Amino acid sequence: DEVTTDMISDVQELLSRFGIPFIMAPMEAEAQCAELLKLSLVDGIITDDSDVFLFGGTKIYKNIFQDKKYVEFYDYNTIEEKLGLNRDNMIELALLLGSDYTTGIKSMGPVSSMEVLAEFKNLKAFKKWYEEGQFDKAKLQNEDKFKKDLRKRLVRNEIVLDSEFPNKMVVNAYMNPEVDHDKTPFQWSVPDLDMLRKFLQNHIGWSWEKTDEVLIPLIRDINKRKQQK
């Protein structure tokens, strides 16, 4: 249920012994992954966290580690072309639906949130419409069915859009996250079989024979792929 420092240390040690490069993100991992993609240091991002789109991720792979599901690929350009959603829109959706940085607005689901983005120019316009209707009843007479139903739902749930909505701090956290901008290319190396034997023996009790049975075919496959390049 909780990632400990010992777990992190073990993963780092195991990656090193496999010859797999890694970095420690200063803050959000998805934000750092988006930056690595922007710097052309990686070809894509593997994650099941949708926040990666808000941080600027553009080529996303989901369900990689779930055997019972197909791997899904999401391309930012396709999303923008087919759904009309750019990064700014996605952040606005998060402000309506909720995310790690905001609770969102009660009663707003994916469909109604998309409808709000389609109906109003931006969330400031949405807020202005909602607040004006609270005090100017004359404006309510000319509203269409969508707006009337939306207003009823918001009023019924006692929604109050405070002075901070849409919250600039949340927007800035997604648009300007703290990341490592180092452009140094990653260096891969071959797995260190002897070090892996010791690691797996000490941590999970594998005998050297068990380790060799699992890893030697893997190392052979890695070497074969390198020769084919």
Side-chain angles (χ1 to χ4, degrees):
D1 293 334
E2 182 179 347
V3 177
T4 66
T5 54
D6 287 340
M7 292 178 184
I8 295 173
S9 178
D10 286 346
V11 169
Q12 290 175 334
E13 185 177 354
L14 193 56
L15 288 171
S16 296
R17 295 185 180 194
F18 266 109
I20 300 173
F22 64 89
I23 65 171
M24 290 294 292
M27 290 295 289
E28 294 282 355
E30 276 71 30
Q32 185 62 58
C33 288
E35 178 66 13
L36 294 176
L37 189 58
K38 179 181 178 182
L39 295 173
S40 299
L41 295 176
V42 298
D43 297 316
I45 301 170
I46 298 172
T47 181
D48 291 333
D49 192 338
S50 297
D51 275 1
V52 68
F53 294 105
L54 313 184
F55 288 118
T58 55
K59 297 182 183 298
I60 315 301
Y61 296 86
K62 300 184 68 175
N63 303 331
I64 284 283
F65 304 111
Q66 300 186 36
D67 294 338
K68 295 182 179 180
K69 293 185 178 181
Y70 289 105
V71 174
E72 299 175 0
F73 172 66
Y74 296 89
D75 175 67
Y76 175 82
N77 292 331
T78 302
I79 293 174
E80 187 172 20
E81 177 185 348
K82 301 296 184 181
L83 299 179
L85 289 174
N86 57 30
R87 185 178 175 187
D88 292 335
N89 299 145
M90 293 181 191
I91 293 174
E92 288 188 320
L93 278 177
L95 290 167
L96 294 173
L97 293 169
S99 69
D100 291 343
Y101 294 162
T102 176
T103 57
I105 297 177
K106 184 180 178 182
S107 81
M108 295 298 296
V111 174
S112 57
S113 295
M114 287 289 289
E115 290 174 337
V116 165
L117 295 189
E119 181 70 25
F120 299 94
K121 183 178 180 180
N122 50 49
L123 293 187
K124 288 184 178 179
F126 164 66
K127 178 184 178 181
K128 181 180 179 182
W129 160 80
Y130 184 55
E131 291 182 339
E132 284 181 346
Q134 304 295 88
F135 304 103
D136 188 350
K137 301 304 179 183
K139 289 188 176 183
L140 301 180
Q141 304 301 321
N142 298 322
E143 287 188 345
D144 57 27
K145 185 178 185 304
F146 166 74
K147 288 184 177 179
K148 287 182 179 179
D149 291 344
L150 176 61
R151 186 182 297 280
K152 285 180 181 179
R153 184 163 68 250
L154 295 173
V155 171
R156 183 169 60 249
N157 285 279
E158 300 179 344
I159 300 301
V160 176
L161 302 179
D162 60 36
S163 60
E164 300 297 322
F165 184 87
N167 195 305
K168 293 180 180 179
M169 293 182 63
V170 173
V171 174
N172 185 64
Y174 284 122
M175 293 299 295
N176 302 291
E178 183 180 348
V179 294
D180 185 342
H181 300 285
D182 188 353
K183 299 180 180 180
T184 305
F186 293 115
Q187 297 294 324
W188 294 68
S189 59
V190 296
D192 187 324
L193 182 57
D194 186 50
M195 295 294 287
L196 285 167
R197 285 169 177 159
K198 294 176 181 178
F199 180 90
L200 295 173
Q201 183 179 51
N202 294 334
H203 285 71
I204 60 176
W206 278 17
S207 66
W208 284 32
E209 291 77 11
K210 172 66 173 179
T211 300
D212 289 353
E213 179 185 342
V214 174
L215 292 185
I216 287 179
L218 173 64
I219 294 174
R220 286 174 178 166
D221 185 53
I222 292 173
N223 292 333
K224 183 179 179 181
R225 291 184 182 181
K226 285 186 176 181
Q227 293 173 0
Q228 292 175 344
K229 289 184 178 180

PDB file of all heavy atoms in Angstrom, residues 51-78:
ATOM      1  N   ASP A  51      -2.893  12.108 -15.670  1.00  0.00           N
ATOM      2  CA  ASP A  51      -2.295  13.429 -15.466  1.00  0.00           C
ATOM      3  C   ASP A  51      -1.155  13.704 -16.433  1.00  0.00           C
ATOM      4  O   ASP A  51      -0.785  14.859 -16.646  1.00  0.00           O
ATOM      5  CB  ASP A  51      -1.773  13.560 -14.028  1.00  0.00           C
ATOM      6  CG  ASP A  51      -2.856  13.999 -13.061  1.00  0.00           C
ATOM      7  OD1 ASP A  51      -4.000  14.171 -13.510  1.00  0.00           O
ATOM      8  OD2 ASP A  51      -2.566  14.161 -11.865  1.00  0.00           O
ATOM      9  N   VAL A  52      -0.599  12.653 -17.008  1.00  0.00           N
ATOM     10  CA  VAL A  52       0.543  12.826 -17.914  1.00  0.00           C
ATOM     11  C   VAL A  52       0.190  13.732 -19.089  1.00  0.00           C
ATOM     12  O   VAL A  52       1.032  14.478 -19.590  1.00  0.00           O
ATOM     13  CB  VAL A  52       1.051  11.450 -18.401  1.00  0.00           C
ATOM     14  CG1 VAL A  52       0.025  10.784 -19.308  1.00  0.00           C
ATOM     15  CG2 VAL A  52       2.395  11.579 -19.101  1.00  0.00           C
ATOM     16  N   PHE A  53      -1.065  13.695 -19.543  1.00  0.00           N
ATOM     17  CA  PHE A  53      -1.490  14.570 -20.642  1.00  0.00           C
ATOM     18  C   PHE A  53      -1.445  16.035 -20.205  1.00  0.00           C
ATOM     19  O   PHE A  53      -1.104  16.916 -20.991  1.00  0.00           O
ATOM     20  CB  PHE A  53      -2.910  14.220 -21.089  1.00  0.00           C
ATOM     21  CG  PHE A  53      -3.034  12.861 -21.704  1.00  0.00           C
ATOM     22  CD1 PHE A  53      -3.612  11.814 -21.003  1.00  0.00           C
ATOM     23  CD2 PHE A  53      -2.576  12.611 -22.988  1.00  0.00           C
ATOM     24  CE1 PHE A  53      -3.726  10.559 -21.564  1.00  0.00           C
ATOM     25  CE2 PHE A  53      -2.685  11.354 -23.565  1.00  0.00           C
ATOM     26  CZ  PHE A  53      -3.263  10.328 -22.850  1.00  0.00           C
ATOM     27  N   LEU A  54      -1.801  16.303 -18.957  1.00  0.00           N
ATOM     28  CA  LEU A  54      -1.838  17.673 -18.455  1.00  0.00           C
ATOM     29  C   LEU A  54      -0.438  18.250 -18.318  1.00  0.00           C
ATOM     30  O   LEU A  54      -0.247  19.459 -18.408  1.00  0.00           O
ATOM     31  CB  LEU A  54      -2.552  17.718 -17.100  1.00  0.00           C
ATOM     32  CG  LEU A  54      -3.879  16.962 -17.000  1.00  0.00           C
ATOM     33  CD1 LEU A  54      -4.506  17.180 -15.644  1.00  0.00           C
ATOM     34  CD2 LEU A  54      -4.838  17.386 -18.097  1.00  0.00           C
ATOM     35  N   PHE A  55       0.541  17.371 -18.104  1.00  0.00           N
ATOM     36  CA  PHE A  55       1.926  17.809 -18.005  1.00  0.00           C
ATOM     37  C   PHE A  55       2.599  17.938 -19.373  1.00  0.00           C
ATOM     38  O   PHE A  55       3.760  18.323 -19.452  1.00  0.00           O
ATOM     39  CB  PHE A  55       2.729  16.840 -17.145  1.00  0.00           C
ATOM     40  CG  PHE A  55       2.407  16.899 -15.682  1.00  0.00           C
ATOM     41  CD1 PHE A  55       1.896  15.798 -15.022  1.00  0.00           C
ATOM     42  CD2 PHE A  55       2.617  18.062 -14.960  1.00  0.00           C
ATOM     43  CE1 PHE A  55       1.616  15.849 -13.664  1.00  0.00           C
ATOM     44  CE2 PHE A  55       2.328  18.130 -13.605  1.00  0.00           C
ATOM     45  CZ  PHE A  55       1.821  17.015 -12.947  1.00  0.00           C
ATOM     46  N   GLY A  56       1.874  17.612 -20.436  1.00  0.00           N
ATOM     47  CA  GLY A  56       2.424  17.768 -21.773  1.00  0.00           C
ATOM     48  C   GLY A  56       2.865  16.484 -22.435  1.00  0.00           C
ATOM     49  O   GLY A  56       3.518  16.516 -23.487  1.00  0.00           O
ATOM     50  N   GLY A  57       2.504  15.325 -21.865  1.00  0.00           N
ATOM     51  CA  GLY A  57       2.827  14.052 -22.501  1.00  0.00           C
ATOM     52  C   GLY A  57       2.087  13.905 -23.816  1.00  0.00           C
ATOM     53  O   GLY A  57       0.913  14.274 -23.917  1.00  0.00           O
ATOM     54  N   THR A  58       2.746  13.366 -24.832  1.00  0.00           N
ATOM     55  CA  THR A  58       2.135  13.309 -26.168  1.00  0.00           C
ATOM     56  C   THR A  58       2.013  11.902 -26.747  1.00  0.00           C
ATOM     57  O   THR A  58       1.181  11.669 -27.610  1.00  0.00           O
ATOM     58  CB  THR A  58       2.938  14.164 -27.166  1.00  0.00           C
ATOM     59  OG1 THR A  58       4.311  13.741 -27.149  1.00  0.00           O
ATOM     60  CG2 THR A  58       2.864  15.639 -26.789  1.00  0.00           C
ATOM     61  N   LYS A  59       2.824  10.973 -26.283  1.00  0.00           N
ATOM     62  CA  LYS A  59       2.758   9.593 -26.784  1.00  0.00           C
ATOM     63  C   LYS A  59       2.721   8.665 -25.574  1.00  0.00           C
ATOM     64  O   LYS A  59       3.747   8.402 -24.951  1.00  0.00           O
ATOM     65  CB  LYS A  59       3.955   9.283 -27.687  1.00  0.00           C
ATOM     66  CG  LYS A  59       4.008  10.144 -28.949  1.00  0.00           C
ATOM     67  CD  LYS A  59       5.194   9.769 -29.832  1.00  0.00           C
ATOM     68  CE  LYS A  59       5.274  10.687 -31.048  1.00  0.00           C
ATOM     69  NZ  LYS A  59       4.091  10.588 -31.914  1.00  0.00           N
ATOM     70  N   ILE A  60       1.523   8.167 -25.278  1.00  0.00           N
ATOM     71  CA  ILE A  60       1.295   7.469 -24.022  1.00  0.00           C
ATOM     72  C   ILE A  60       0.871   6.016 -24.260  1.00  0.00           C
ATOM     73  O   ILE A  60      -0.013   5.736 -25.069  1.00  0.00           O
ATOM     74  CB  ILE A  60       0.189   8.169 -23.193  1.00  0.00           C
ATOM     75  CG1 ILE A  60       0.394   9.686 -23.192  1.00  0.00           C
ATOM     76  CG2 ILE A  60       0.127   7.586 -21.794  1.00  0.00           C
ATOM     77  CD1 ILE A  60       1.706  10.140 -22.628  1.00  0.00           C
ATOM     78  N   TYR A  61       1.492   5.103 -23.509  1.00  0.00           N
ATOM     79  CA  TYR A  61       1.136   3.682 -23.548  1.00  0.00           C
ATOM     80  C   TYR A  61       0.565   3.285 -22.194  1.00  0.00           C
ATOM     81  O   TYR A  61       1.195   3.522 -21.155  1.00  0.00           O
ATOM     82  CB  TYR A  61       2.365   2.826 -23.865  1.00  0.00           C
ATOM     83  CG  TYR A  61       2.946   3.069 -25.238  1.00  0.00           C
ATOM     84  CD1 TYR A  61       3.870   4.080 -25.447  1.00  0.00           C
ATOM     85  CD2 TYR A  61       2.560   2.285 -26.334  1.00  0.00           C
ATOM     86  CE1 TYR A  61       4.400   4.323 -26.715  1.00  0.00           C
ATOM     87  CE2 TYR A  61       3.091   2.516 -27.595  1.00  0.00           C
ATOM     88  CZ  TYR A  61       4.006   3.538 -27.773  1.00  0.00           C
ATOM     89  OH  TYR A  61       4.531   3.765 -29.025  1.00  0.00           O
ATOM     90  N   LYS A  62      -0.618   2.659 -22.216  1.00  0.00           N
ATOM     91  CA  LYS A  62      -1.270   2.221 -20.982  1.00  0.00           C
ATOM     92  C   LYS A  62      -1.442   0.698 -20.989  1.00  0.00           C
ATOM     93  O   LYS A  62      -1.442   0.062 -22.032  1.00  0.00           O
ATOM     94  CB  LYS A  62      -2.636   2.887 -20.824  1.00  0.00           C
ATOM     95  CG  LYS A  62      -2.584   4.416 -20.752  1.00  0.00           C
ATOM     96  CD  LYS A  62      -3.949   5.011 -20.492  1.00  0.00           C
ATOM     97  CE  LYS A  62      -4.452   4.684 -19.105  1.00  0.00           C
ATOM     98  NZ  LYS A  62      -5.729   5.366 -18.805  1.00  0.00           N
ATOM     99  N   ASN A  63      -1.590   0.135 -19.806  1.00  0.00           N
ATOM    100  CA  ASN A  63      -1.841  -1.306 -19.605  1.00  0.00           C
ATOM    101  C   ASN A  63      -0.654  -2.190 -19.994  1.00  0.00           C
ATOM    102  O   ASN A  63      -0.830  -3.380 -20.220  1.00  0.00           O
ATOM    103  CB  ASN A  63      -3.071  -1.775 -20.383  1.00  0.00           C
ATOM    104  CG  ASN A  63      -4.330  -1.010 -20.031  1.00  0.00           C
ATOM    105  OD1 ASN A  63      -4.470  -0.527 -18.910  1.00  0.00           O
ATOM    106  ND2 ASN A  63      -5.240  -0.873 -20.974  1.00  0.00           N
ATOM    107  N   ILE A  64       0.539  -1.616 -20.055  1.00  0.00           N
ATOM    108  CA  ILE A  64       1.720  -2.401 -20.423  1.00  0.00           C
ATOM    109  C   ILE A  64       1.918  -3.577 -19.466  1.00  0.00           C
ATOM    110  O   ILE A  64       2.288  -4.677 -19.879  1.00  0.00           O
ATOM    111  CB  ILE A  64       2.980  -1.504 -20.411  1.00  0.00           C
ATOM    112  CG1 ILE A  64       3.009  -0.602 -21.650  1.00  0.00           C
ATOM    113  CG2 ILE A  64       4.253  -2.347 -20.362  1.00  0.00           C
ATOM    114  CD1 ILE A  64       3.434  -1.276 -22.927  1.00  0.00           C
ATOM    115  N   PHE A  65       1.678  -3.355 -18.198  1.00  0.00           N
ATOM    116  CA  PHE A  65       1.963  -4.383 -17.188  1.00  0.00           C
ATOM    117  C   PHE A  65       0.702  -5.110 -16.717  1.00  0.00           C
ATOM    118  O   PHE A  65       0.715  -5.750 -15.666  1.00  0.00           O
ATOM    119  CB  PHE A  65       2.681  -3.745 -15.998  1.00  0.00           C
ATOM    120  CG  PHE A  65       3.945  -3.032 -16.402  1.00  0.00           C
ATOM    121  CD1 PHE A  65       4.024  -1.649 -16.342  1.00  0.00           C
ATOM    122  CD2 PHE A  65       5.042  -3.734 -16.858  1.00  0.00           C
ATOM    123  CE1 PHE A  65       5.188  -0.982 -16.709  1.00  0.00           C
ATOM    124  CE2 PHE A  65       6.207  -3.081 -17.240  1.00  0.00           C
ATOM    125  CZ  PHE A  65       6.276  -1.707 -17.167  1.00  0.00           C
ATOM    126  N   GLN A  66      -0.376  -5.038 -17.493  1.00  0.00           N
ATOM    127  CA  GLN A  66      -1.611  -5.731 -17.142  1.00  0.00           C
ATOM    128  C   GLN A  66      -1.894  -6.806 -18.195  1.00  0.00           C
ATOM    129  O   GLN A  66      -2.360  -6.505 -19.298  1.00  0.00           O
ATOM    130  CB  GLN A  66      -2.769  -4.742 -17.048  1.00  0.00           C
ATOM    131  CG  GLN A  66      -2.548  -3.665 -15.987  1.00  0.00           C
ATOM    132  CD  GLN A  66      -3.748  -2.771 -15.780  1.00  0.00           C
ATOM    133  OE1 GLN A  66      -4.891  -3.233 -15.850  1.00  0.00           O
ATOM    134  NE2 GLN A  66      -3.515  -1.493 -15.529  1.00  0.00           N
ATOM    135  N   ASP A  67      -1.600  -8.031 -17.851  1.00  0.00           N
ATOM    136  CA  ASP A  67      -1.688  -9.138 -18.803  1.00  0.00           C
ATOM    137  C   ASP A  67      -3.103  -9.375 -19.329  1.00  0.00           C
ATOM    138  O   ASP A  67      -3.286  -9.893 -20.426  1.00  0.00           O
ATOM    139  CB  ASP A  67      -1.179 -10.433 -18.157  1.00  0.00           C
ATOM    140  CG  ASP A  67       0.307 -10.383 -17.852  1.00  0.00           C
ATOM    141  OD1 ASP A  67       0.999  -9.572 -18.495  1.00  0.00           O
ATOM    142  OD2 ASP A  67       0.769 -11.131 -16.976  1.00  0.00           O
ATOM    143  N   LYS A  68      -4.103  -8.997 -18.553  1.00  0.00           N
ATOM    144  CA  LYS A  68      -5.477  -9.274 -18.948  1.00  0.00           C
ATOM    145  C   LYS A  68      -6.070  -8.188 -19.840  1.00  0.00           C
ATOM    146  O   LYS A  68      -7.236  -8.261 -20.224  1.00  0.00           O
ATOM    147  CB  LYS A  68      -6.356  -9.452 -17.700  1.00  0.00           C
ATOM    148  CG  LYS A  68      -5.971 -10.673 -16.864  1.00  0.00           C
ATOM    149  CD  LYS A  68      -6.900 -10.844 -15.678  1.00  0.00           C
ATOM    150  CE  LYS A  68      -6.524 -12.077 -14.859  1.00  0.00           C
ATOM    151  NZ  LYS A  68      -7.426 -12.253 -13.695  1.00  0.00           N
ATOM    152  N   LYS A  69      -5.278  -7.170 -20.155  1.00  0.00           N
ATOM    153  CA  LYS A  69      -5.774  -6.075 -20.986  1.00  0.00           C
ATOM    154  C   LYS A  69      -4.853  -5.866 -22.179  1.00  0.00           C
ATOM    155  O   LYS A  69      -3.683  -6.216 -22.155  1.00  0.00           O
ATOM    156  CB  LYS A  69      -5.858  -4.775 -20.176  1.00  0.00           C
ATOM    157  CG  LYS A  69      -6.898  -4.791 -19.068  1.00  0.00           C
ATOM    158  CD  LYS A  69      -6.990  -3.424 -18.406  1.00  0.00           C
ATOM    159  CE  LYS A  69      -8.062  -3.389 -17.326  1.00  0.00           C
ATOM    160  NZ  LYS A  69      -8.166  -2.055 -16.700  1.00  0.00           N
ATOM    161  N   TYR A  70      -5.427  -5.301 -23.240  1.00  0.00           N
ATOM    162  CA  TYR A  70      -4.620  -4.919 -24.394  1.00  0.00           C
ATOM    163  C   TYR A  70      -3.870  -3.624 -24.080  1.00  0.00           C
ATOM    164  O   TYR A  70      -4.367  -2.760 -23.362  1.00  0.00           O
ATOM    165  CB  TYR A  70      -5.500  -4.698 -25.626  1.00  0.00           C
ATOM    166  CG  TYR A  70      -6.096  -5.958 -26.199  1.00  0.00           C
ATOM    167  CD1 TYR A  70      -7.442  -6.254 -26.011  1.00  0.00           C
ATOM    168  CD2 TYR A  70      -5.312  -6.844 -26.934  1.00  0.00           C
ATOM    169  CE1 TYR A  70      -8.003  -7.420 -26.535  1.00  0.00           C
ATOM    170  CE2 TYR A  70      -5.860  -8.007 -27.459  1.00  0.00           C
ATOM    171  CZ  TYR A  70      -7.202  -8.285 -27.252  1.00  0.00           C
ATOM    172  OH  TYR A  70      -7.732  -9.427 -27.765  1.00  0.00           O
ATOM    173  N   VAL A  71      -2.683  -3.507 -24.639  1.00  0.00           N
ATOM    174  CA  VAL A  71      -1.941  -2.257 -24.508  1.00  0.00           C
ATOM    175  C   VAL A  71      -2.657  -1.177 -25.321  1.00  0.00           C
ATOM    176  O   VAL A  71      -3.069  -1.410 -26.458  1.00  0.00           O
ATOM    177  CB  VAL A  71      -0.490  -2.420 -25.013  1.00  0.00           C
ATOM    178  CG1 VAL A  71       0.222  -1.072 -25.019  1.00  0.00           C
ATOM    179  CG2 VAL A  71       0.263  -3.411 -24.142  1.00  0.00           C
ATOM    180  N   GLU A  72      -2.839   0.002 -24.734  1.00  0.00           N
ATOM    181  CA  GLU A  72      -3.498   1.112 -25.406  1.00  0.00           C
ATOM    182  C   GLU A  72      -2.483   2.217 -25.683  1.00  0.00           C
ATOM    183  O   GLU A  72      -1.646   2.521 -24.831  1.00  0.00           O
ATOM    184  CB  GLU A  72      -4.635   1.660 -24.536  1.00  0.00           C
ATOM    185  CG  GLU A  72      -5.730   0.641 -24.244  1.00  0.00           C
ATOM    186  CD  GLU A  72      -6.772   1.169 -23.279  1.00  0.00           C
ATOM    187  OE1 GLU A  72      -6.627   2.338 -22.834  1.00  0.00           O
ATOM    188  OE2 GLU A  72      -7.719   0.434 -22.949  1.00  0.00           O
ATOM    189  N   PHE A  73      -2.571   2.817 -26.858  1.00  0.00           N
ATOM    190  CA  PHE A  73      -1.675   3.907 -27.226  1.00  0.00           C
ATOM    191  C   PHE A  73      -2.487   5.164 -27.475  1.00  0.00           C
ATOM    192  O   PHE A  73      -3.500   5.138 -28.181  1.00  0.00           O
ATOM    193  CB  PHE A  73      -0.882   3.556 -28.486  1.00  0.00           C
ATOM    194  CG  PHE A  73      -0.079   4.710 -29.032  1.00  0.00           C
ATOM    195  CD1 PHE A  73       0.987   5.235 -28.312  1.00  0.00           C
ATOM    196  CD2 PHE A  73      -0.404   5.298 -30.250  1.00  0.00           C
ATOM    197  CE1 PHE A  73       1.723   6.312 -28.804  1.00  0.00           C
ATOM    198  CE2 PHE A  73       0.322   6.371 -30.753  1.00  0.00           C
ATOM    199  CZ  PHE A  73       1.392   6.877 -30.019  1.00  0.00           C
ATOM    200  N   TYR A  74      -2.055   6.276 -26.887  1.00  0.00           N
ATOM    201  CA  TYR A  74      -2.738   7.555 -27.050  1.00  0.00           C
ATOM    202  C   TYR A  74      -1.753   8.577 -27.610  1.00  0.00           C
ATOM    203  O   TYR A  74      -0.674   8.778 -27.054  1.00  0.00           O
ATOM    204  CB  TYR A  74      -3.282   8.053 -25.702  1.00  0.00           C
ATOM    205  CG  TYR A  74      -4.344   7.157 -25.116  1.00  0.00           C
ATOM    206  CD1 TYR A  74      -3.992   6.090 -24.291  1.00  0.00           C
ATOM    207  CD2 TYR A  74      -5.686   7.368 -25.393  1.00  0.00           C
ATOM    208  CE1 TYR A  74      -4.964   5.253 -23.752  1.00  0.00           C
ATOM    209  CE2 TYR A  74      -6.668   6.541 -24.862  1.00  0.00           C
ATOM    210  CZ  TYR A  74      -6.298   5.486 -24.043  1.00  0.00           C
ATOM    211  OH  TYR A  74      -7.260   4.665 -23.525  1.00  0.00           O
ATOM    212  N   ASP A  75      -2.157   9.200 -28.690  1.00  0.00           N
ATOM    213  CA  ASP A  75      -1.322  10.201 -29.338  1.00  0.00           C
ATOM    214  C   ASP A  75      -1.987  11.571 -29.207  1.00  0.00           C
ATOM    215  O   ASP A  75      -3.166  11.743 -29.552  1.00  0.00           O
ATOM    216  CB  ASP A  75      -1.143   9.838 -30.818  1.00  0.00           C
ATOM    217  CG  ASP A  75      -0.384  10.911 -31.574  1.00  0.00           C
ATOM    218  OD1 ASP A  75       0.802  11.111 -31.296  1.00  0.00           O
ATOM    219  OD2 ASP A  75      -0.999  11.546 -32.454  1.00  0.00           O
ATOM    220  N   TYR A  76      -1.241  12.549 -28.706  1.00  0.00           N
ATOM    221  CA  TYR A  76      -1.799  13.876 -28.447  1.00  0.00           C
ATOM    222  C   TYR A  76      -2.383  14.506 -29.709  1.00  0.00           C
ATOM    223  O   TYR A  76      -3.481  15.082 -29.680  1.00  0.00           O
ATOM    224  CB  TYR A  76      -0.718  14.788 -27.859  1.00  0.00           C
ATOM    225  CG  TYR A  76      -1.171  16.219 -27.674  1.00  0.00           C
ATOM    226  CD1 TYR A  76      -1.909  16.595 -26.559  1.00  0.00           C
ATOM    227  CD2 TYR A  76      -0.875  17.193 -28.622  1.00  0.00           C
ATOM    228  CE1 TYR A  76      -2.331  17.911 -26.383  1.00  0.00           C
ATOM    229  CE2 TYR A  76      -1.293  18.502 -28.465  1.00  0.00           C
ATOM    230  CZ  TYR A  76      -2.015  18.857 -27.344  1.00  0.00           C
ATOM    231  OH  TYR A  76      -2.441  20.149 -27.187  1.00  0.00           O
ATOM    232  N   ASN A  77      -1.676  14.394 -30.820  1.00  0.00           N
ATOM    233  CA  ASN A  77      -2.156  15.013 -32.057  1.00  0.00           C
ATOM    234  C   ASN A  77      -3.482  14.417 -32.503  1.00  0.00           C
ATOM    235  O   ASN A  77      -4.357  15.125 -33.009  1.00  0.00           O
ATOM    236  CB  ASN A  77      -1.110  14.853 -33.165  1.00  0.00           C
ATOM    237  CG  ASN A  77       0.146  15.667 -32.898  1.00  0.00           C
ATOM    238  OD1 ASN A  77       0.087  16.702 -32.247  1.00  0.00           O
ATOM    239  ND2 ASN A  77       1.281  15.198 -33.383  1.00  0.00           N
ATOM    240  N   THR A  78      -3.640  13.104 -32.320  1.00  0.00           N
ATOM    241  CA  THR A  78      -4.896  12.447 -32.682  1.00  0.00           C
ATOM    242  C   THR A  78      -6.028  12.900 -31.766  1.00  0.00           C
ATOM    243  O   THR A  78      -7.155  13.133 -32.217  1.00  0.00           O
ATOM    244  CB  THR A  78      -4.741  10.922 -32.607  1.00  0.00           C
ATOM    245  OG1 THR A  78      -3.680  10.512 -33.471  1.00  0.00           O
ATOM    246  CG2 THR A  78      -6.027  10.222 -33.032  1.00  0.00           C
TER     247      THR A  78
END
